[in-house]
Amino acid sequence: MIDNDLRKILIEKVLDDLPLPLTLQTIKRWTDDQFVREVDFISKPIKLAELIVITALSRPNSDMFVNVWNNLSNQDSGDLAGLAKLVQDLGNGGVEWQVSEAKTVLSWAFEHDPLTTLDGFPFVDRTEFRRLLPRPQGETTPACLVVLGEEKTGKSHLSHYCEAYAKSRGSLNVGIAKQMGQPRRENVRTIALHLAKGLRTQFSVRPPEHAEPERDAKNLADWIARYTPESDIPAIALIDGYGRSDLPDAVHVFIGTLASLIASNPAAQERLRLIVTGYDISRLLDYGVDADQYVLGPIERSHLDSWFRTSFPDQPGYRYDSAVSQIMESVDASQPHARLENLKLEAYAVSLEFGP
């Protein structure tokens, strides 16, 4: 009655609308008396959202499913059109309720990772980077990771991918701070606020600004590490492009302190992981942090071929060869700084025409 893709969308919508903090009254409003009696209280919203949906779909009648639907705040969104019609048909007798098998659909399996960013650009040959991202199955992944690589090798592109990685699961928070303006004018509070917004750090306990920038930086790092909420999966704080030596000292104090607080505290690692791109490892060593490293290499023909075969399976072999050749021939290998951007754009353009 409801396929896995639509079931996953429904879980994400329930997760977005569940009011926090969770209470028994909240759970009852979304479900029914039987659910409240039978379920153990769940403090993690993603687990509750998923259980609500799979329970509603496995009930012998549609009452709980319709109740879940009635609690959604944005029923007119395009991705819910199929559910809206189902509810309408159930109401007028146009369709009979069919019990669905209760099963988890928000898979964190590596093979279910998205292969594009949210804007549709391919994420090519970053397999080992994906293996370093936090997952809930208990794999050991780095508390602090530094991404290295030459200029224009795609370090910033990783931040766009992390957003897609989080969005595809619905239970992972990602806070991103990017160095955009004049380095000497960077404000450490602005960096911290960008991170805190995505991480859903508790703003009510944000420290007041200290007159000394370095002290302020330490206070802000402590706030992020201490008051980012625990979830099913550690959130990702991604700091992109702050490796320049001409940045204010307070910026480096903030990064070093945050890395140290996460690396040295298992409780903090349950809440948060840190990824820093293009940063001097020695600066983190000064704070006692021996961070893991991931080095970005160039995109090659074989990487593109693998991406197309994974993204568009069961196509004739010549289609893969033709697509990759078209991309590689359009890129000027004599301009290495522009090569990745051109590869990304060309791969995107070709992928739009690559469907069956």
Side-chain angles (χ1 to χ4, degrees):
M1 177 165 275
I2 296 178
D3 63 26
N4 279 352
D5 289 340
L6 200 52
R7 191 182 308 196
K8 178 179 174 182
I9 291 171
L10 181 56
I11 292 171
E12 292 171 350
K13 298 295 185 183
V14 172
L15 178 61
D16 289 341
D17 283 349
L18 278 176
L20 299 177
L22 293 173
T23 64
L24 288 175
Q25 289 77 13
T26 295
I27 297 173
K28 184 176 180 179
R29 178 161 62 84
W30 279 84
T31 57
D32 55 24
D33 291 334
Q34 179 184 347
F35 185 92
V36 173
R37 286 195 305 269
E38 294 178 353
V39 72
D40 292 330
F41 183 73
I42 299 174
S43 61
K44 295 183 176 181
I46 180 59
K47 290 184 178 179
L48 177 60
E50 189 167 36
L51 186 60
I52 286 173
V53 171
I54 63 176
T55 301
L57 296 179
S58 64
R59 285 286 169 83
N61 60 60
S62 64
D63 291 350
M64 182 173 164
F65 168 73
V66 173
N67 188 39
V68 171
W69 171 261
N70 289 336
N71 277 282
L72 295 180
S73 64
N74 190 15
Q75 298 174 352
D76 296 328
S77 64
D79 52 0
L80 290 177
L83 289 178
K85 186 177 187 308
L86 174 60
V87 173
Q88 182 181 10
D89 290 344
L90 287 169
N92 60 28
V95 66
E96 292 186 3
W97 175 252
Q98 297 178 17
V99 176
S100 299
E101 178 185 357
K103 60 181 180 180
T104 297
V105 298
L106 291 180
S107 172
W108 285 85
F110 183 77
E111 59 269 21
H112 294 159
D113 285 351
L115 296 177
T116 65
T117 57
L118 291 180
D119 52 10
F121 286 111
F123 192 70
V124 180
D125 188 43
R126 302 300 183 231
T127 302
E128 293 309 313
F129 174 77
R130 291 193 286 126
R131 294 192 187 280
L132 297 173
L133 295 175
R135 298 174 191 269
Q137 290 98 335
E139 295 96 332
T140 301
T141 54
C144 297
L145 175 68
V146 176
V147 179
L148 303 172
E150 296 182 4
E151 186 180 0
K152 302 297 183 181
T153 53
K155 294 186 292 296
S156 293
H157 191 48
L158 299 182
S159 65
H160 300 304
Y161 180 76
C162 286
E163 292 174 314
Y165 179 76
K167 183 69 174 178
S168 70
R169 270 54 185 244
S171 59
L172 172 65
N173 295 325
V174 177
I176 298 175
K178 295 184 179 182
Q179 203 284 310
M180 302 289 288
Q182 298 183 19
R184 291 189 179 278
R185 294 186 179 181
E186 284 290 347
N187 185 305
V188 72
R189 293 192 75 84
T190 301
I191 298 172
L193 291 177
H194 276 300
L195 290 178
K197 181 181 178 182
L199 297 172
R200 299 187 180 182
T201 306
Q202 189 176 342
F203 271 79
S204 62
V205 293
R206 179 178 48 166
E209 186 167 2
H210 197 283
E212 297 179 7
E214 287 78 10
R215 179 70 263 175
D216 196 42
K218 292 179 180 179
N219 292 343
L220 290 166
D222 183 72
W223 169 55
I224 297 288
R226 200 182 282 262
Y227 291 103
T228 293
E230 184 177 345
S231 185
D232 301 295
I233 191 73
I236 298 174
L238 196 151
I239 300 176
D240 179 26
Y242 287 92
R244 298 178 56 130
S245 59
D246 55 350
L247 287 162
D249 290 341
V251 171
H252 297 299
V253 171
F254 172 78
I255 295 172
T257 303
L258 181 60
S260 177
L261 290 170
I262 295 172
S264 63
N265 188 344
Q269 293 171 30
E270 290 293 317
R271 298 188 294 271
L272 185 62
R273 303 294 172 85
L274 177 65
I275 300 175
V276 188
T277 68
Y279 204 70
D280 185 349
I281 290 287
S282 65
R283 289 185 180 274
L284 296 182
L285 289 173
D286 291 341
Y287 285 83
V289 178
D290 186 12
D292 288 63
Q293 300 177 43
Y294 172 74
V295 181
L296 285 169
I299 301 295
E300 304 294 348
R301 183 185 182 95
S302 60
H303 305 147
L304 290 165
D305 182 79
S306 176
W307 183 85
F308 274 99
R309 290 178 185 274
T310 304
S311 301
F312 304 96
D314 302 322
Q315 299 289 313
Y318 75 87
R319 298 201 70 192
Y320 304 119
D321 296 337
S322 176
V324 173
S325 294
Q326 181 180 339
I327 294 168
M328 297 300 293
E329 289 170 4
S330 68
V331 175
D332 185 353
S334 67
Q335 300 180 31
H337 291 328
R339 189 166 189 264
L340 178 74
E341 184 67 20
N342 291 340
L343 279 171
K344 184 175 71 173
L345 291 171
E346 286 295 331
Y348 174 66
V350 172
S351 70
L352 295 178
E353 305 172 355
F354 201 75

